[in-house]
Amino acid sequence: MSTFKTLDDLEADQRVLVRLDLNSPVEDGEVQDNRRFERHAETVSELAEAGHRVVLMAHQGRPGGDDFVSLEQHASILADHVGHDVGFVADTFGDDAIDAIESLSAGNILLLENTRMCDDELPEEDPEVKADTAFVQTLAPYFDAYVNDAYSAAHRSHASLVGFPLELPAYAGRVMQTEYEANSAIATREFDGQVTMVVGGTKATDVIDVMNNLGEKVDRFLLGGIAGELFLRAAGHDVGYDVGGMDLFDDQWEANHETIESLIEERGDQITLAVDLAYEDEADERAEIAVEDIDEKDRAYLDIGTDTVEAYDPVIRDSEAVFVKGALGLFEDERFSEGTVGVLRAIAETDCFSVVGGGDTSRAIEMYGMSEDDFGHVSIAGGAYIRALTGASLVGVEVLQDN
Ligand SMILES: Nc1ncnc2c1ncn2[C@@H]1O[C@H](COP(=O)(O)OP(=O)(O)O)[C@@H](O)[C@H]1O
Ligand SMILES: O=C(OP(=O)(O)O)[C@H](O)COP(=O)(O)O
């Protein structure tokens, strides 16, 4: 199955540079614990217990976003899961980082600062270009091996993901290995009955393009979240616009409206949009409005409405397989969790094969008292997992396989 080397192939007593994906929700500056910490802790524990010197890299948010913060809090959350100290240095590859790396003993763990705070990490470029950056060229000589555990970021051609495997012997971590195997197996699986995909979340750009390539595999798309509103906007409704301090819609509209319009034209019968939406009224309560009654672009919609949840429910119950990518609303706020929780409960109550992905969406399962056992596979990846479903390769996996 795996055509890359794994931790089973790693020699003893190595200085190992490990890429994790600890990208997490941040609420009022506080990093929220989630499944990514728990899953990556297994790889980190295994490496530390084997006596390697373990240096971790990860990213958080995107420059300019409210969630673009230091990894200092991540170190202590990860330490709780690993059951071992995780040191932190507020530097990516400068003198402070090198000093901290050089002072490690066998079995020690150190987390470097947010890779996206280093200019060489972004933008996406070919692996050869990334391998030639000062970031990679400076750090690589301090290590014997590179481990990529960040399956959920493996669709990004960033320095920490694709540059190091060109400079160091490279291995897949345990999360990379299990997610790759599970998602590749799902991509080749055939279903006799209806296959439904629930599309939501904030990263509409990640899903809209992929919907084009999933059209043969998926019979019905049920939309919500930011992507759902962009489709409603394309269908002529006054939603899907940035209002107040929002910056979720207009840029993604510019990048995707032509694809959305052609999807509606060519695959309109496969795509179901919300018929009502929920918002916060003057009394801070959940209120709902039918999409056809919306005539002002002045309000943020935070969930699909109750009639939409009722319309989506039988579609899910009639499906043989359901794939979920992204939440249908701001589920972290209970008032706006109805869409996401309604869909997840319908899946959990039926015996369809299901995959739930999206960095944040998998959190809703635990938050609302459901069990992972009620789902076929819960992926900590979002964009990477739906790309894998189309059979497309992920650049971060390709460079491991070539290593
Ligand atoms: N209408 C909405 N307005 C604001 N945030 C939303 C809305 N719908 C979904 N979300 C947010 O999308 C996030 C879901 O993220 P996730 O499932 O990881 O997908 P993505 O990777 O696309 O962000 C959740 O944190 C949820 O609060
Ligand atoms: O959280 C992630 O992706 P996901 O939300 O699609 O699961 C990854 O960390 C990638 O982050 P990015 O979409 O800012 O490159």
Side-chain angles (χ1 to χ4, degrees):
M1 250 313 238
S2 325
T3 50
F4 36 56
K5 287 180 280 183
T6 70
L7 300 191
D8 299 327
D9 304 302
L10 196 59
E11 284 176 29
D13 195 24
Q14 301 276 284
R15 297 168 301 160
V16 192
L17 182 62
V18 188
R19 178 57 156 96
L20 308 179
D21 185 358
L22 300 178
N23 195 26
S24 301
V26 178
E27 285 167 23
D28 300 324
E30 296 253 326
V31 175
Q32 306 295 303
D33 193 357
N34 65 89
R35 305 281 297 145
R36 287 184 172 163
F37 286 93
E38 191 183 322
R39 297 254 180 111
H40 284 302
E42 289 173 31
T43 299
V44 176
S45 302
E46 183 177 338
L47 289 166
E49 279 166 21
H52 302 296
R53 283 148 225 249
V54 186
V55 176
L56 309 172
M57 295 185 291
H59 74 276
Q60 172 61 52
R62 299 176 182 180
D66 290 343
D67 61 349
F68 184 60
V69 298
S70 163
L71 296 190
E72 189 170 6
Q73 295 176 62
H74 300 67
S76 65
I77 299 171
L78 185 64
D80 289 343
H81 287 281
V82 176
H84 188 296
D85 279 353
V86 175
F88 171 73
V89 57
D91 189 15
T92 48
F93 71 101
D95 292 345
D96 290 348
I98 303 298
D99 287 348
I101 292 166
E102 284 193 304
S103 63
L104 292 178
S105 308
N108 284 173
I109 307 166
L110 172 72
L111 176 64
L112 302 177
E113 185 53 289
N114 187 344
T115 53
R116 293 185 179 175
M117 290 184 179
C118 153
D119 291 344
D120 291 338
E121 173 73 338
L122 308 170
E124 293 200 277
E125 288 167 308
D126 287 343
E128 292 74 18
V129 176
K130 289 306 191 189
D132 210 25
T133 56
F135 175 32
V136 175
Q137 290 297 321
T138 307
L139 273 191
Y142 290 91
F143 296 93
D144 306 306
Y146 168 82
V147 172
N148 190 350
D149 211 27
Y151 177 86
S152 45
H155 52 310
R156 309 287 188 216
S157 196
H158 296 155
S160 61
L161 294 152
V162 301
F164 291 100
L166 270 59
E167 299 295 313
L168 289 165
Y171 303 82
R174 296 303 181 201
V175 174
M176 170 64 80
Q177 205 183 335
T178 50
E179 287 272 2
Y180 172 79
E181 284 172 7
N183 291 308
S184 307
I186 292 159
T188 55
R189 198 167 155 162
E190 301 279 337
F191 298 98
D192 294 331
Q194 177 172 283
V195 177
T196 299
M197 176 168 255
V198 179
V199 173
T202 54
K203 296 176 190 170
T205 298
D206 271 0
V207 282
I208 288 167
D209 210 29
V210 177
M211 278 173 72
N212 247 336
N213 300 321
L214 280 167
E216 305 303 321
K217 245 185 171 144
V218 172
D219 302 302
R220 295 284 298 268
F221 291 98
L222 305 178
L223 270 78
I226 305 310
E229 282 195 50
L230 293 177
F231 272 77
L232 287 170
R233 175 171 167 178
H237 300 286
D238 288 329
V239 301
Y241 293 85
D242 284 326
V243 290
M246 263 188 167
D247 58 359
L248 284 170
F249 294 100
D250 295 338
D251 287 350
Q252 300 205 85
W253 171 258
E254 280 313 311
N256 298 295
H257 71 93
E258 284 170 8
T259 313
I260 296 174
E261 281 150 7
S262 77
L263 275 166
I264 290 179
E265 202 173 306
E266 286 159 30
R267 300 198 179 275
D269 53 342
Q270 287 171 268
I271 298 170
T272 309
L273 304 181
V275 292
D276 57 349
L277 294 169
Y279 60 94
E280 186 178 57
D281 68 11
E282 289 77 20
D284 292 345
E285 304 280 342
R286 176 186 172 108
E288 299 193 352
I289 183 168
V291 166
E292 62 184 25
D293 294 337
I294 297 173
D295 53 16
E296 300 269 4
K297 304 172 188 138
D298 62 350
R299 191 188 274 146
Y301 295 99
L302 302 172
D303 195 8
I304 55 173
T306 310
D307 289 347
T308 306
V309 182
E310 280 173 13
Y312 285 2
D313 185 90
V315 178
I316 287 167
R317 290 177 196 274
D318 284 346
S319 299
E320 193 192 336
V322 183
F323 298 102
V324 180
K325 160 63 180 100
L328 296 180
L330 189 76
F331 70 83
E332 295 86 346
D333 181 330
E334 203 173 346
R335 295 169 302 167
F336 302 108
S337 63
E338 212 174 285
T340 308
V341 173
V343 159
L344 290 175
R345 288 229 165 98
I347 297 170
E349 282 166 19
T350 53
D351 57 4
C352 64
F353 174 77
S354 61
V355 185
V356 178
D360 298 336
T361 314
S362 49
R363 224 162 53 109
I365 294 174
E366 199 172 273
M367 205 178 232
Y368 290 97
M370 289 168 273
S371 161
E372 283 203 7
D373 298 342
D374 294 326
F375 302 88
H377 174 56
V378 178
S379 175
I380 56 171
Y385 124 76
I386 51 161
R387 265 188 191 67
L389 285 188
T390 67
S393 60
L394 305 173
V395 64
V397 174
E398 272 178 353
V399 289
L400 283 186
Q401 290 168 329
D402 291 344
N403 189 267

